[in-house]
Amino acid sequence: MNKTSVASKIQAEVDLQDFSKVSTNAALTSDQKVEFLRGMVRIRRFEQAALKYYNQGCMGGFLHLYIGQEAVAVGTSSLLHADDHIITAYRDHGHAIAVGMDMKECMAELFGKATGCSKGKGGSMHFFSPERHYWGGHGVVGGQTPLGLGIAYALKYKKVRGATLCFLGDGAVNQGTYHESLNLAGLWSLPVVYIIENNQYSMGTSVERSSTFRNCLAQRAEGYGIAWDTANGEDLYEVRAKTQGAIQRAHKDCRPTVLEVRTYRYYGHSVADANAKKYRSTEEIERHKNFHDPIRLWSKRLLDEAIVTGKLIDQIDEEAVREVESAVQFASGSPPPRETAIFEDIYYEVDHATQAGCSGTHFFR
Amino acid sequence: MPLITYRKALNNALAEELLRDENVVIIGEEVAEYNGAYKVTEGLWRRFGSRRVVDTPISEAGFIGLGIGASMLGMRPVIELMFWSFAYVAFDQIINNAGCIRYMSGGLIHLPLVIRGPANGGTNVGATHSHTPENFIANTPGLKVVCPATAYDAKGLMKAAIRDNDPVCVMENTLLYGERWDVPEEEYLIPLGVADVKRSGTDVALIAHGRAVLTALKAADILARQHHIYAEVIDLRSIRPLDEEAVLNAIRKTHRAVLVDENRPFCAVSSQIAALIQERVFDELDAPVVRVCTLDAPAIYSPELEKRQLPTAERVVSKALSIC
Ligand SMILES: Cc1ncc(C[n+]2csc(CCOP(=O)(O)OP(=O)(O)O)c2C)c(N)n1
């Protein structure tokens, strides 16, 4: 398939299919659909607050905002079964909240507090919640891709029917680790779903300037004998429909999938390039905000389907704002980690009463 | 006690742990059907099958990362590197992921895995295949690193490493695989972080790890026979955790130290030992701490010269004489 025909195939799919009718979406209750809206709004409000307090100097480090991409995290995580897992890169707040992490612990992590999800030791790029099968938050581009593979490997080894969703960006597809992962995933038939969140930029470099074969990044998977697909990330129905197919492939056939989701971020790569207009036009950003915003589009759908009223949408928004404010209060009122915490959580024995830990042979400063 | 090779001792350790714990798997290039590039995994694939002993494509970052991910879900993978020199291809996975995830997650995640394989020079394979990166690894809190010097130590340390709940890097020595030592048949473990006094003496401490321990022992022999100088030989066994007390006690006893190290001298493990001694027991010293390291150049191919590039017993003897 040459490049133009791939592009036209994608275009045709976007135009022709109505994903509200596919079984996984047709089965949704109104309550569930409203929950998706709530999920996206909560992420957006969380991120907006994070930006505000970052600018006030309450946080250190980088802040990579997920604003504009919310339908991807909410749509994909809404499909997770009890034995499925998620791992992602450094733009990780959206996925964290989508899998059910408490905003309080997330905000406290941004504030570097002991009450943060990683006890103030990970920061924005390193949220973790193993109990929710959320394995981070990883700061090195592409570095999480073999880890997601390993989680899938362990599922298969333990004969658990599950899938691992491993998120990466359009920039990360050019890293060697990703290609090593794809080769192993195909070779060993592992239940991993690589979800490329193609927001069209890696920092300031557009896909045009970073990738050969750029019309469809997912199609590179063909070279590894791996099924691939693309989805329009503005449309929660489509994200769910395509992800569902990939998860089924993992569960039923124990096979990997690469799914490329077209999406967009309104802010810069991080706060360092907040306005992000050096490498793209104001018109481009405005066009996305006005015509492609996943929250607006979903709200409109729910209004059209007569599932919500404008009043309910406002109410959901106000609740989210209040929730975020109380998370900020919690975070700012929380204590920083004790100084001794610097030396905790390095080695297992230091923190647990193991034989080695008791004899002191593993303990060192 | 049967006399067995270092290679066989490691092989026995792996077999015993595969048998003991279903979560242990061996993953690496040529570990299964080919029986291992250095035959450490010989026979394991035939005995335990492809589910437990797994051949990989050449993709160090891929399969080390995979091992880390699998350990997140409670497996205990043992990853073989064909050479530790190739670890550099996977340093992101080893340092950033294996080394840091426990810390960055606030202790929510621990990673019980072993990365093992041959390190060190001396086999005339040139610079790219002769690295000994224990100093790089030991520089990352969160990682452990052990360097067994004998078959006995290799077995006990390997078994302890596999049962350890943190990522442990085991650096075997290519030149030792064929050497034989007494190894008991019954099970034993050597805890990580406990050094061994390989020879006791009163006049000078020779402190070493890995194959350098054998060089130190040879030097101690010469010192005793030809010079009536009695050296104590300390085998660190594990670099991190480091048995600091063993080092300090040796200084308190002998008041002199020669550090023998197959690392290059710049920012080496022995640099750390020298700093430790001067920080903690400076007053005990009767002479400056001296070192015998691999000469500070990439590994030379020339078989004649490479022998001289590595620490030799003769160099250790002459350094010892200079301070005794
Ligand atoms: C190995 C590595 N190189 C460079 C960086 C710096 N960096 C962080 S994010 C990023 C851009 C990645 O873009 P993409 O994968 O498209 O993800 P997005 O930010 O769009 O979500 C770069 C270059 C890094 N973190 N890791």
Side-chain angles (χ1 to χ4, degrees):
Chain A
M1 210 184 292
N2 66 32
K3 291 178 192 177
T4 35
S5 71
V6 172
S8 59
K9 177 189 161 202
I10 295 159
Q11 200 52 46
E13 276 178 8
V14 172
D15 292 345
L16 294 178
Q17 268 186 283
D18 177 1
F19 290 92
S20 66
K21 302 287 190 293
V22 303
S23 62
T24 177
N25 290 328
L28 287 169
T29 64
S30 302
D31 283 351
Q32 285 173 309
K33 294 182 188 180
V34 176
E35 271 317 299
F36 297 157
L37 178 63
R38 197 187 308 280
M40 290 194 288
V41 170
R42 286 176 69 242
I43 293 172
R44 181 157 304 180
R45 288 303 190 187
F46 178 89
E47 296 268 87
Q48 287 171 339
L51 177 60
K52 174 173 154 195
Y53 290 97
Y54 184 93
N55 286 333
Q56 287 183 13
C58 301
M59 299 165 199
F62 298 133
L63 185 73
H64 305 97
L65 297 178
Y66 194 67
I67 291 176
Q69 305 185 205
E70 294 89 346
V72 188
V74 170
T76 52
S77 62
S78 68
L79 293 159
L80 295 177
H81 298 69
D83 290 317
D84 295 337
H85 297 259
I86 269 196
I87 185 166
T88 186
Y90 47 83
R91 199 179 295 285
D92 60 344
H93 311 158
H95 306 101
I97 292 170
V99 299
M101 281 173 71
D102 191 331
M103 273 191 195
K104 286 194 170 79
E105 56 176 333
C106 294
M107 193 62 83
E109 189 61 32
L110 296 181
F111 277 64
K113 299 302 180 73
T115 52
C117 57
S118 306
K119 298 189 198 160
K121 293 180 158 180
S124 166
M125 302 189 287
H126 308 112
F127 285 8
F128 292 92
S129 179
E131 63 180 295
R132 296 175 188 88
H133 290 191
Y134 176 72
W135 299 98
H138 295 270
V140 176
V141 171
Q144 80 281 15
T145 55
L147 301 189
L149 191 71
I151 294 167
Y153 177 84
L155 290 172
K156 185 171 182 181
Y157 183 85
K158 289 168 183 270
K159 303 191 169 81
V160 172
R161 195 181 156 113
T164 305
L165 306 190
C166 178
F167 294 87
L168 64 152
D170 48 278
V173 301
N174 300 317
Q175 277 283 21
T177 41
Y178 172 60
H179 290 272
E180 294 188 24
S181 303
L182 287 187
N183 184 53
L184 284 162
L187 188 69
W188 291 354
S189 245
L190 296 179
V192 59
V193 183
Y194 286 109
I195 299 182
I196 304 167
E197 292 191 68
N198 184 352
N199 61 19
Q200 302 167 42
Y201 295 92
S202 49
M203 292 187 68
T205 307
S206 64
V207 175
E208 282 69 39
R209 295 199 298 123
S210 64
S211 279
T212 53
F213 204 64
R214 57 182 165 264
N215 288 336
C216 183
L217 303 176
Q219 201 189 359
R220 293 174 176 187
E222 253 172 43
Y224 299 98
I226 294 176
W228 60 276
D229 207 342
T230 59
N232 174 5
E234 305 158 18
D235 180 355
L236 214 147
Y237 280 140
E238 181 167 348
V239 170
R240 276 176 50 88
K242 297 291 180 69
T243 309
Q244 175 70 356
I247 290 179
Q248 263 166 8
R249 182 171 296 113
H251 287 180
K252 291 224 310 263
D253 311 331
C254 204
R255 288 290 300 167
T257 306
V258 172
L259 178 63
E260 176 180 352
V261 183
R262 307 302 176 91
T263 181
Y264 198 78
R265 59 167 161 78
Y266 302 151
Y267 286 89
H269 166 67
S270 71
V271 182
D273 66 334
N275 70 20
K277 287 173 188 162
K278 286 205 187 85
Y279 50 87
R280 54 189 188 175
S281 64
T282 311
E283 297 73 58
E284 177 183 309
I285 300 170
E286 288 307 312
R287 177 161 46 80
H288 277 276
K289 278 188 184 167
N290 294 330
F291 302 107
H292 301 280
D293 183 86
I295 296 181
R296 277 199 190 192
L297 291 173
W298 189 249
S299 301
K300 183 170 175 318
R301 258 189 194 277
L302 297 193
L303 286 166
D304 291 348
E305 291 183 25
I307 287 170
V308 296
T309 57
K311 198 166 148 233
L312 180 58
I313 293 175
D314 290 345
Q315 193 188 321
I316 286 170
D317 190 49
E318 283 155 22
E319 277 166 16
V321 170
R322 274 201 300 277
E323 186 187 0
V324 175
E325 272 314 312
S326 85
V328 168
Q329 253 170 30
F330 172 80
S332 59
S334 289
R338 284 168 291 117
E339 204 166 319
T340 51
I342 289 177
F343 296 111
E344 290 163 5
D345 305 317
I346 300 174
Y347 293 101
Y348 186 88
E349 288 79 10
V350 179
D351 311 320
H352 295 83
T354 62
Q355 204 186 349
C358 294
S359 68
T361 51
H362 284 71
F363 192 87
F364 39 94
R365 285 160 291 273
Chain B
M1 264 195 270
L3 208 56
I4 65 170
T5 59
Y6 187 89
R7 165 187 290 122
K8 183 65 184 155
L10 289 165
N11 182 273
N12 288 349
L14 297 174
E16 286 175 25
E17 295 306 303
L18 279 166
L19 204 59
R20 192 185 63 81
D21 184 349
E22 169 86 1
N23 286 313
V24 175
V25 291
I26 296 180
I27 299 175
E29 291 157 18
E30 310 292 1
V31 296
E33 301 192 27
Y34 190 83
N35 281 316
Y38 282 96
K39 303 293 171 250
V40 172
T41 56
E42 181 142 38
L44 298 180
W45 173 65
R46 187 167 304 170
R47 184 166 164 205
F48 293 95
S50 298
R51 181 164 176 263
R52 309 292 305 285
V53 183
V54 188
D55 277 330
T56 65
I58 306 160
S59 48
E60 283 75 8
F63 65 76
I64 289 180
L66 178 142
I68 297 166
S71 77
M72 284 175 159
L73 290 208
M75 292 184 65
R76 309 184 86 85
V78 178
I79 315 288
E80 174 172 306
L81 280 165
M82 199 177 279
F83 287 87
W84 264 100
S85 289
F86 307 155
Y88 296 105
V89 169
F91 248 38
D92 168 48
Q93 297 300 327
I94 298 173
I95 306 294
N96 282 316
N97 289 338
C100 299
I101 284 178
R102 175 172 180 78
Y103 195 72
M104 292 192 304
S105 69
L108 291 175
I109 296 171
H110 69 281
L111 305 166
L113 83 148
V114 170
I115 306 172
R116 53 153 290 272
N120 297 68
T123 51
N124 324 128
V125 286
T128 57
H129 286 57
S130 305
H131 289 292
T132 163
E134 65 268 32
N135 53 333
F136 288 79
I137 304 287
N139 191 244
T140 300
L143 295 174
K144 295 176 176 175
V145 52
V146 299
C147 301
T150 68
Y152 176 85
D153 291 343
K155 181 173 174 190
L157 289 169
M158 182 60 74
K159 285 170 67 78
I162 294 172
R163 296 190 200 183
D164 199 278
N165 287 314
D166 291 310
V168 184
C169 297
V170 182
M171 290 183 199
E172 301 152 15
N173 190 301
T174 331
L175 290 170
L176 299 183
Y177 282 139
E179 303 284 320
R180 287 168 198 275
W181 281 269
D182 281 331
V183 179
E185 270 168 45
E186 64 274 13
E187 170 164 300
Y188 64 95
L189 298 170
I190 299 175
L192 310 186
V194 182
D196 189 29
V197 180
K198 285 275 191 291
R199 174 181 177 130
S200 114
T202 47
D203 301 334
V204 59
L206 309 182
I207 300 169
H209 65 277
R211 201 180 71 105
V213 172
L214 307 182
T215 310
L217 283 169
K218 214 190 275 173
D221 228 27
I222 300 170
L223 284 168
R225 270 192 290 110
Q226 298 181 6
H227 305 281
H228 303 290
I229 290 170
Y230 300 97
E232 173 135 321
V233 177
I234 304 291
D235 175 2
L236 297 173
R237 275 182 172 160
S238 111
I239 306 306
R240 193 158 192 172
L242 181 67
D243 191 343
E244 298 187 344
E245 275 313 307
V247 172
L248 302 179
N249 285 338
I251 304 301
R252 290 181 189 117
K253 184 174 170 191
T254 64
H255 312 289
R256 290 178 165 81
V258 183
L259 314 182
V260 192
D261 190 352
E262 288 196 2
N263 254 185
R264 287 170 184 77
F266 203 93
C267 299
V269 168
S270 53
S271 316
Q272 174 64 23
I273 306 293
L276 171 75
I277 292 171
Q278 88 83 34
E279 280 169 4
R280 301 275 295 279
V281 286
F282 180 72
D283 290 344
E284 295 280 352
L285 289 173
D286 286 344
V289 174
V290 293
R291 295 195 290 161
V292 178
C293 298
T294 293
L295 301 182
D296 199 12
I300 190 163
Y301 159 69
S302 159
E304 194 41 50
L305 284 185
E306 193 185 15
K307 260 191 225 119
R308 287 195 258 155
Q309 188 174 12
L310 289 164
T312 59
E314 292 67 35
R315 271 165 65 204
V316 177
V317 167
S318 91
K319 276 285 182 188
L321 292 176
S322 77
I323 57 163
C324 284

